[in-house]
Amino acid sequence: MASNLTPPHNRGMTVLDREAFKAEWTTLAICSPSTAVKQLTTALEDKLLNVSRIKSVVPVNNNAEKKYILLNLDIKDIKEALNDTQLELIKDYDIVPYRFQVDYDYWTTEQVLYSVMPEGDAETPSSFTTTGHIAHVNLKPENIPFKSLIAQVILDKNKKIKSVVNKTNEIDNTYRNFQMELLAGKDDMITELIVESNTSFPFRKKMSAVLNLIFPKYIGIRDYKQNIAGDVMAGVGPFSIPAVKKGAIVYANDLNPSSYQWLCENIELNKITSNISTYNMDGRAFIKKAVKDLYLESNGTKFFQHFVMNLPATAIEFLDAFKGIYKGINISSDLLPMIHVHCFTRSADPIQDIKQRVCQIMGGPIDAAFCNMQMYHVRTVAPKKDMYCVSFRLGPEVAF
């Protein structure tokens, strides 16, 4: 196993000084004819320098006929480290000290950041998520003094990254926009992401829809062909566009004008010309209008099989829009749509917590509101904060 070198400690550095990460090591080397290298390296296999990305055999200056065979850093005395057979093999060769240097470019992101963070920090802030050319970090308060350095290191070490941003604590309550602070790189927040089924999504990082940019991990829909779905909080189309490509008919809505604009542009970019209708309106109003529009457009012959509500911070609050949604419409109870709603919970009993909240908002008892209920843990977003997707068929007591 390769040994890991460690960079010089630069505790407390907040402005990146690349020169401060130069380091030098000295090890013992066997000066050998090139013709003997294979025999020696085979015999000394467990004694050779074993450091990541540092070669154990290097040229002697520009002399092609001689090589240095570098030994492990912990070998200080050849006679103690090698056995008799190995010593016999090298007895006619010079043993010399060999110095090798590494610089800032050698170290990984995590190694550089570990060396500058105050001693005792439990976590090195080297992780980030990537969308196109944008790296998104979630910095803890103790990391904020180092934010520019952290961003610059990420930029340096990841050639495809051109911009590094951090989510601030400011949220636009109307559109749920998380404000992004540019920490390093280009102020270019438009990027393109190729995701499932070769679907392209150019988008603006500052939009709320960025949180759901890739095809959602779990929606609850198993078969898309011939299904009609309403995407209540569609964002830039991370569910709607792939769903249409899978054979669904989708009515897609988002209240945010910027998200709506990019939703429409993404539909055009992906050369979708049918089976999708777009809306720019409040989620509650959309649910009612979409049901009415589909009913009128199909002369009462088609109904939604699914409604997707993928905005976990607030989606559950919009469930009251389903009260009486099919009143006066001739539809059997077994054709009522499945509802797939994402939500957050901090409860120790998440299933019971989500059930109670859903039923309270929908105004129906658990048994009525949760026909064929399924619940899926999507991910943990923070300590004691989990995201779930709950799927259930709209009950007739609520629908009618």
Side-chain angles (χ1 to χ4, degrees):
M1 187 173 76
S3 0
N4 291 320
L5 304 179
T6 56
H9 284 174
N10 293 286
R11 303 293 185 198
M13 178 187 288
T14 56
V15 178
L16 182 60
D17 177 8
R18 296 175 181 83
E19 292 295 313
F21 293 92
K22 288 184 176 179
E24 182 177 279
W25 279 267
T26 300
T27 191
L28 294 178
I30 302 167
C31 186
S32 157
S34 298
T35 54
V37 166
K38 185 174 182 180
Q39 179 189 22
L40 292 176
T41 53
T42 301
L44 300 168
E45 183 179 6
D46 61 336
K47 306 299 182 182
L48 300 179
L49 182 68
N50 192 13
V51 172
S52 299
R53 293 174 286 131
I54 302 293
K55 294 180 179 179
S56 59
V57 178
V58 296
V60 176
N61 299 324
N62 294 320
N63 189 342
E65 296 180 358
K66 288 192 174 183
K67 302 287 185 183
Y68 285 130
I69 299 175
L70 309 185
L71 301 180
N72 274 332
L73 287 167
D74 57 359
I75 295 178
K76 306 302 180 186
D77 188 321
I78 289 289
K79 292 181 179 180
E80 290 184 2
L82 306 187
N83 61 40
D84 291 343
T85 302
Q86 293 168 332
L87 289 171
E88 181 65 23
L89 277 175
I90 66 169
K91 67 179 182 179
D92 295 327
Y93 305 135
D94 292 333
I95 310 299
V96 297
Y98 180 87
R99 288 192 297 274
F100 64 92
Q101 293 181 333
V102 298
D103 58 16
Y104 171 77
D105 290 337
Y106 175 81
W107 308 113
T108 65
T109 303
E110 186 169 16
Q111 286 174 321
V112 172
L113 296 183
Y114 177 80
S115 76
V116 302
M117 291 294 111
E119 201 155 7
D121 272 17
E123 187 176 340
T124 302
S126 59
S127 61
F128 57 90
T129 56
T130 304
T131 309
H133 69 266
I134 301 169
H136 171 211
V137 297
N138 277 316
L139 298 180
K140 296 181 178 180
E142 59 267 28
N143 300 142
I144 296 301
F146 304 91
K147 64 182 181 181
S148 296
L149 181 145
I150 292 168
Q152 189 58 55
V153 174
I154 290 173
L155 204 62
D156 288 346
K157 301 294 181 179
N158 299 272
K159 300 309 177 186
K160 293 183 179 180
I161 299 298
K162 304 300 179 186
S163 307
V164 183
V165 299
N166 180 42
K167 184 173 71 177
T168 70
N169 291 325
E170 297 179 14
I171 303 176
D172 183 311
N173 287 327
T174 302
Y175 301 131
R176 301 299 298 174
N177 286 345
F178 288 91
Q179 299 301 316
M180 296 293 174
E181 176 188 12
L182 179 68
L183 300 181
K186 299 190 302 182
D187 189 7
D188 177 10
M189 299 298 110
I190 300 177
T191 190
E192 181 170 297
L193 184 67
I194 307 299
V195 294
E196 186 173 333
S197 302
N198 292 320
T199 305
S200 298
F201 289 101
F203 72 102
R204 290 190 182 275
K205 187 72 176 181
K206 294 181 181 178
M207 296 196 305
S208 58
V210 68
L211 298 179
N212 303 315
L213 183 66
I214 62 172
F215 195 70
K217 180 179 179 182
Y218 180 83
I219 288 294
I221 300 176
R222 302 301 181 191
D223 182 19
Y224 289 84
K225 290 183 179 180
Q226 307 304 316
N227 273 323
I228 304 175
D231 191 357
V232 184
M233 295 94 175
V236 300
F239 162 73
S240 294
I241 293 174
V244 171
K245 288 191 170 186
K246 287 173 178 284
I249 297 171
V250 179
Y251 286 59
N253 170 73
D254 203 276
L255 175 63
N256 187 332
S258 295
S259 294
Y260 176 75
Q261 174 193 342
W262 285 95
L263 168 64
C264 295
E265 291 195 23
N266 287 337
I267 291 170
E268 184 177 348
L269 174 71
N270 286 278
K271 299 179 182 179
I272 293 174
T273 57
S274 61
N275 294 337
I276 190 166
S277 302
T278 59
Y279 297 75
N280 178 207
M281 58 197 305
D282 172 75
R284 289 183 180 85
F286 163 73
I287 292 169
K288 295 173 183 178
K289 182 166 176 55
V291 168
K292 182 178 180 181
D293 285 354
L294 178 59
Y295 184 78
L296 293 175
E297 290 165 6
S298 68
N299 293 318
T301 61
K302 294 182 179 179
F303 304 97
F304 283 98
Q305 281 84 44
H306 303 276
F307 275 95
V308 176
M309 306 172 74
N310 190 9
L311 188 63
T314 59
I316 204 168
E317 300 169 11
F318 287 77
L319 289 173
D320 58 1
F322 289 98
K323 295 179 184 179
I325 195 71
Y326 285 101
K327 185 177 181 180
I329 294 179
N330 185 20
I331 177 176
S332 63
S333 297
D334 60 337
L335 293 180
L336 289 172
M338 291 292 295
I339 298 173
H340 312 278
V341 57
H342 285 68
C343 57
F344 292 131
T345 179
R346 294 182 181 274
S347 174
D349 188 350
I351 295 177
Q352 187 61 28
D353 172 58
I354 293 170
K355 276 187 178 182
Q356 289 180 348
R357 288 159 59 198
V358 169
C359 293
Q360 181 180 6
I361 292 168
M362 296 191 77
I366 288 178
D367 291 342
F370 279 84
C371 301
N372 302 317
M373 185 203 75
Q374 294 178 333
M375 194 171 294
Y376 179 84
H377 178 261
V378 179
R379 63 189 177 96
T380 298
V381 298
K384 298 183 180 179
K385 184 178 182 182
D386 295 301
M387 183 193 300
Y388 278 82
C389 177
V390 56
S391 299
F392 58 94
R393 189 173 299 281
L394 180 63
E397 290 85 352
V398 177
F400 299 126

